[in-house]
Amino acid sequence: HMGARSVATNNAEFRNYYERKKAEGKHDLTIINAIRNKMVLRVVAVIKNQRKYVNNYQKAA
């Protein structure tokens, strides 16, 4: 939970996601839960593929 809160404020990709969902009217804890899920899925993908994480995030115009 605290990790999700941290990336929601300090990571550009997750900050944009949080702000977009907040503007849609989503509840704070619902957004944090979605961020936690995204983080876990990325960790599982890294372990499953046995590769380093590659951050290829680009903000849409």
Side-chain angles (χ1 to χ4, degrees):
H1 180 80
M2 295 306 292
R5 285 268 185 209
S6 178
V7 297
T9 57
N10 297 316
N11 182 286
E13 177 182 1
F14 288 110
R15 186 175 342 120
N16 292 335
Y17 177 80
Y18 181 88
E19 291 171 358
R20 186 175 76 242
K21 291 299 179 180
K22 191 67 175 171
E24 292 175 6
K26 301 287 184 180
H27 190 270
D28 287 340
L29 293 180
T30 302
I31 303 168
I32 293 299
N33 190 42
I35 290 174
R36 287 192 310 208
N37 188 39
K38 287 175 177 287
M39 290 171 60
V40 169
L41 290 176
R42 288 179 188 191
V43 168
V44 169
V46 165
I47 293 170
K48 180 180 175 184
N49 295 327
Q50 296 182 351
R51 295 184 186 171
K52 291 185 178 183
Y53 176 71
V54 178
N55 186 5
N56 56 4
Y57 173 71
Q58 295 176 350
K59 185 175 179 179

